[in-house]
Amino acid sequence: MKQTLVYILFVSAFYNALGQVTSYAIQNTITDISSDAVCPDDPGFKTVVAKTKNYILSQLKSYNYTTSVRPGPFNNIVAYSGEITTDMGILMVHYQPRCTGTPGYALNPGGIDDNAAGIGAALEIARELAGLPGVFLVFIDDSCGKLLPPGAAYFVDNFPFLDKITWGINLDEIANFNDTVGSANIPESFSQLLPAIYEMIKEDGFRGNFIAGFADLNSTSIAKDMEGIMSLYGVKMYPFSLPYPASSICTQGPLMGLCLSINGPFWLKNIPILELTDMSPQRNLQIGFMPNTTWAAMIANGVVDMFEK
């Protein structure tokens, strides 16, 4: 039986600036594309999504990427700048922002963490990887929050080069930071979802920086490589193993939440995807939020190193 591995990364108190991705550039992206009126029911929602799409395309073209918006009901963006090979890695993010009014997202104004920070990191990674063969950059037209998000599912079912993708990384919420007294209150729902992580962090709560990395068994080698790379940036990755196959996780049981992000449809196609996320919907909801773009840049530099291996 396949297993799903769960990794949690903790950042040290010191930032080892080994890479070239800058927090300043990520902050610029957050500033440029964030908005306070992006709920699907708001009149400005389509405008905000279109603005984000055009911003992404403009940045990618400035780095000399070949870009396309895939035809169909979703505006999924695909970019590459090197040769398309038979062994492609994929870096992906969802680019519909989660709105201020969404339940559980009151501290995510304008989609700052979900997912403007991920977009900013992905664009900086794109700048660093420009010209490197064997890399697809994919920006999925989804806000996530739905089981097997439809934009991602549509992409997986219709992308003509899917058979060339052999591994990938998904950035989804990577800039949540809080060190405020009182942020140690862990929702009961979280303990039910991920009991192993809950036991490890329940004494300290969700204060400070951490990133959880989710992968099915196919992605074990990716997770191990990422663990080694991130250790160079002062990050310790702790592995957990949960005895559920991806096919079960994405369709039933208490771990269905692991497939609320865009990695789920890829897992079901047996494509190894490592999702990096700060899990902000499950933590610090009662505390004010400020994005930690230095932390996001450190993660982005680790991802650059991973693709350059």
Side-chain angles (χ1 to χ4, degrees):
M1 174 181 287
K2 289 185 177 179
Q3 292 182 318
T4 292
L5 301 180
V6 179
Y7 287 77
I8 185 166
L9 293 76
F10 289 92
V11 63
S12 72
F14 301 99
Y15 172 48
N16 187 3
L18 300 175
Q20 300 301 314
V21 172
T22 67
S23 60
Y24 178 77
I26 295 174
Q27 182 60 59
N28 281 347
T29 295
I30 292 173
T31 301
D32 287 341
I33 67 177
S34 292
S35 169
D36 287 331
V38 292
C39 292
D41 295 335
D42 289 343
F45 180 74
K46 290 184 178 179
T47 300
V48 169
V49 174
K51 173 186 173 183
T52 304
K53 178 189 72 174
N54 292 335
Y55 180 91
I56 292 168
L57 288 169
S58 175
Q59 293 294 102
L60 291 172
K61 289 176 181 177
S62 74
Y63 305 145
N64 296 317
Y65 276 81
T66 299
T67 62
S68 65
V69 179
R70 305 302 303 170
F74 300 95
N75 292 310
N76 295 324
I77 301 169
V78 178
Y80 62 93
S81 66
E83 179 185 359
I84 295 179
T85 68
T86 57
D87 184 12
M88 300 287 289
I90 181 173
L91 173 68
M92 58 185 185
V93 297
H94 74 84
Y95 76 86
Q96 277 192 18
R98 296 300 292 273
C99 61
T100 303
T102 303
Y105 283 80
L107 303 183
N108 182 46
I112 288 174
D113 194 34
D114 192 3
N115 197 24
I119 295 167
L123 290 174
E124 271 291 274
I125 293 167
R127 182 179 61 79
E128 284 291 303
L129 297 181
L132 187 72
V135 180
F136 278 127
L137 294 154
V138 179
F139 296 78
I140 299 290
D141 182 11
D142 259 323
S143 64
C144 297
K146 294 181 179 179
L147 189 63
L148 299 176
Y154 184 86
F155 177 86
V156 165
D157 289 339
N158 293 278
F159 187 53
F161 300 114
L162 192 73
D163 61 334
K164 298 182 183 298
I165 299 173
T166 56
W167 71 284
I169 293 176
N170 169 27
L171 301 179
D172 191 359
E173 307 163 15
I174 60 168
N176 189 291
F177 174 78
N178 197 294
D179 199 22
T180 306
V181 174
S183 62
N185 299 323
I186 304 177
E188 183 64 26
S189 60
F190 182 86
S191 66
Q192 295 172 354
L193 176 65
L194 297 169
I197 295 178
Y198 176 84
E199 288 300 316
M200 169 167 280
I201 64 177
K202 66 180 180 181
E203 291 186 6
D204 292 331
F206 290 166
R207 290 190 293 266
N209 287 329
F210 72 82
I211 287 287
F214 301 110
D216 70 358
L217 190 60
N218 291 330
S219 310
T220 302
S221 62
I222 303 172
K224 289 185 179 300
D225 286 346
M226 196 74 196
E227 178 182 10
I229 289 171
M230 292 312 300
S231 68
L232 300 176
Y233 292 87
V235 175
K236 173 64 178 177
M237 182 186 289
Y238 296 90
F240 297 89
S241 178
L242 301 178
Y244 295 91
S247 58
S248 296
I249 285 177
C250 292
T251 56
Q252 62 186 351
L255 298 178
M256 288 173 64
L258 300 185
C259 295
L260 292 178
S261 193
I262 55 178
N263 44 273
F266 290 83
W267 284 354
L268 291 181
K269 293 287 187 178
N270 294 319
I271 298 174
I273 299 292
L274 177 66
E275 177 191 348
L276 301 180
T277 175
D278 62 36
M279 304 182 68
S280 61
Q282 287 82 31
R283 68 190 186 100
N284 293 335
L285 297 181
Q286 75 279 24
I287 306 295
F289 171 74
M290 290 184 62
N292 187 335
T293 53
T294 298
W295 168 233
M298 182 165 56
I299 295 167
N301 277 311
V303 174
V304 168
D305 294 347
M306 185 76 174
F307 276 96
E308 290 181 337
K309 279 176 57 66

